[in-house]
Amino acid sequence: MVVTDETFDQQLREARLSLRNIRCEVAELRIYLALKRIVALSHKAGFNPGQLRLPGGQPGGGRWTGGNGGDVILVGARGRGSVSVRIGNRTLDATPAQAARYAVANLRAEAAFRRVQEIDPTWRPRPSLTDPNSIEGQIRHAEVEAREAEARLGELARARFGDNQGPPLDAEPPRGGTGTPSSPPSGMIGSFRTITGMPDTGSGPALAKSDGTVAYLEVDGQGVFGVNSNAPGYTVRDEAMARDMRARLIERYPDIMNTGRVSYKPNDALFHAEANALLRAAEPYGGTLAGRTLEMRVDRPLCPSCDAVLPHLGTQIGNPTVRIIDGAGDIWIMRDGMWIRGGRR
């Protein structure tokens, strides 16, 4: 067969394009393996990116501490993982864990303060002695205000018990250990968006790609936020966990995952807010959420990639029962590698 110059040039271009694609995939694999080695070494050395560290400028400053008390600062991933938290007219640098703690504490304080003001408009919390220029100081300030307001609510409830004066005081819901949120998740997501500078979507779902995505759930009373890989607060550690889980799912479910182009759909679900929230929630418990029933709120409708991948991710982290309420108000429930409710298949 005679090959014309034009045909030869076309075949040459296609060969070069294929070679470039192969080189890109090899480079991606090398990065993934390097990240995986770093994660393995950090675990072997006992390193925890959320471990507590004593602040500088005091005796023992900079040393790691295994305790949870005292004046400590959460140390997390920096660079890509740092978050600029907006508090009033100030902007403070924070780790994703600190941003999450502040969002939860601030919303709790604001909600309790509003309830007290409805009954006792003259009440004010005591002046704070915490450092206003420190994110840890702001977290402690919000936590103290929340406790004071909740204590005042208890006093008002006892004082009005049995009479008909004033608006009713609803009892605070119990905090269960199953992970079901006891605070309004929509408020938590809105608070997190506000303090981290993500676009405000109001009461509606995130629609534009630039809006980003936020997921929220609770485990043992602790709030956990998940974000997509392009949002503020997504860390190198998050990426390493997502890549590791992607490799595990490709190996276990080759008929569902994309084995040819590992960064394509539906594999991209591992870098979405829903998967990020589940991986973050499981990490402190050795990577498992076995035996738990969780409720997650997400401010975007569940995408086809998450539809395909999330139930199988669930089996890899202990097969919890997860109830997801997405940005469209649809309810999805997953367990045993499938959707008990919801799903497009």
Side-chain angles (χ1 to χ4, degrees), residues 32 34 45 53 59 77-78 81 94 128 140 165 167 171 192 214 231 247 250 260 278 281 286 298 310 314:
Y32 160 69
R53 191 176 183 181
R78 284 303 184 189
S128 173
R140 288 195 292 272
Q165 301 177 25
F192 185 82
V214 181
I250 288 174
L278 289 171
V298 191
L310 284 181

Side-chain angles (χ1 to χ4, degrees), residues 7 20 26 35 155:
T7 302
R20 187 177 64 179
V26 169
L35 288 170
E155 294 172 0

Side-chain angles (χ1 to χ4, degrees), residues 152-221:
R152 181 57 179 158
L153 274 175
E155 294 172 0
L156 293 170
R158 288 191 294 272
R160 293 177 179 273
F161 183 79
D163 68 20
N164 294 318
Q165 301 177 25
L169 289 173
D170 298 326
E172 291 292 322
R175 299 185 73 87
T178 63
T180 302
S182 58
S183 302
S186 59
M188 291 295 185
I189 289 175
S191 177
F192 185 82
R193 279 185 169 275
T194 298
I195 69 167
T196 58
M198 295 182 70
D200 181 10
T201 60
S203 59
L207 296 175
K209 187 176 181 179
S210 58
D211 289 341
T213 310
V214 181
Y216 177 79
L217 54 82
E218 287 186 3
V219 181
D220 293 338

Side-chain angles (χ1 to χ4, degrees), residues 297-326:
R297 295 293 181 102
V298 191
D299 59 4
R300 184 183 295 276
L302 222 65
C303 71
S305 292
C306 288
D307 174 28
V309 172
L310 284 181
H312 305 292
L313 166 61
T315 64
Q316 300 301 300
I317 56 172
N319 195 30
T321 299
V322 183
R323 182 175 184 262
I324 301 175
I325 303 175
D326 71 11

Side-chain angles (χ1 to χ4, degrees), residues 29-337:
L29 181 59
R30 285 175 175 170
I31 293 172
Y32 160 69
L33 292 175
L35 288 170
K36 190 172 182 180
R37 283 195 295 271
I38 291 171
V39 171
L41 288 172
S42 69
H43 280 301
K44 185 177 181 180
F47 174 73
N48 178 358
Q51 188 176 355
L52 300 176
R53 191 176 183 181
L54 296 174
Q58 69 174 50
R63 292 185 306 180
W64 301 107
T65 175
N68 292 322
D71 294 328
V72 292
I73 294 179
L74 274 175
V75 175
R78 284 303 184 189
R80 180 183 175 189
S82 63
V83 185
S84 294
V85 174
R86 297 188 298 189
I87 303 174
N89 59 359
R90 290 189 301 277
T91 300
L92 302 176
D93 189 51
T95 68
Q98 287 171 323
R101 288 168 56 215
Y102 178 74
V104 172
N106 186 58
L107 186 66
R108 176 185 162 200
E110 289 180 348
F113 182 78
R114 283 195 300 269
R115 295 186 68 203
V116 172
Q117 289 279 297
E118 290 174 357
I119 306 161
D120 183 3
T122 63
W123 182 84
R124 294 289 186 277
R126 289 173 293 181
S128 173
L129 299 178
T130 58
D131 180 6
N133 297 315
S134 158
I135 184 62
E136 282 294 322
Q138 290 290 346
I139 292 170
R140 288 195 292 272
H141 173 62
E143 291 173 342
V144 168
E145 281 201 351
R147 286 195 294 268
E148 286 187 13
E150 289 164 357
R152 181 57 179 158
L153 274 175
E155 294 172 0
L156 293 170
R158 288 191 294 272
R160 293 177 179 273
F161 183 79
D163 68 20
N164 294 318
Q165 301 177 25
L169 289 173
D170 298 326
E172 291 292 322
R175 299 185 73 87
T178 63
T180 302
S182 58
S183 302
S186 59
M188 291 295 185
I189 289 175
S191 177
F192 185 82
R193 279 185 169 275
T194 298
I195 69 167
T196 58
M198 295 182 70
D200 181 10
T201 60
S203 59
L207 296 175
K209 187 176 181 179
S210 58
D211 289 341
T213 310
V214 181
Y216 177 79
L217 54 82
E218 287 186 3
V219 181
D220 293 338
Q222 298 298 313
V224 179
F225 288 94
V227 294
N228 61 296
S229 58
N230 293 324
Y234 193 87
T235 69
V236 172
R237 174 69 174 162
D238 290 326
E239 183 170 357
M241 290 193 298
R243 286 175 175 271
D244 181 65
M245 182 57 67
R246 183 178 65 184
R248 289 165 57 184
L249 293 178
I250 288 174
E251 181 179 4
R252 188 173 180 87
Y253 304 104
D255 56 328
I256 295 171
M257 305 295 288
N258 191 332
T259 58
R261 297 289 183 90
V262 297
S263 60
Y264 282 52
K265 300 178 185 297
N267 304 3
D268 59 328
L270 277 308
F271 301 86
H272 292 181
E274 298 90 338
N276 184 230
L278 289 171
L279 291 173
R280 285 180 172 181
E283 187 179 20
Y285 300 94
T288 180
L289 295 171
R292 297 181 182 274
T293 298
L294 307 173
E295 180 173 293
M296 179 190 297
R297 295 293 181 102
V298 191
D299 59 4
R300 184 183 295 276
L302 222 65
C303 71
S305 292
C306 288
D307 174 28
V309 172
L310 284 181
H312 305 292
L313 166 61
T315 64
Q316 300 301 300
I317 56 172
N319 195 30
T321 299
V322 183
R323 182 175 184 262
I324 301 175
I325 303 175
D326 71 11
D330 293 331
I331 297 175
W332 307 64
I333 303 176
M334 69 183 206
R335 183 173 174 80
D336 298 326

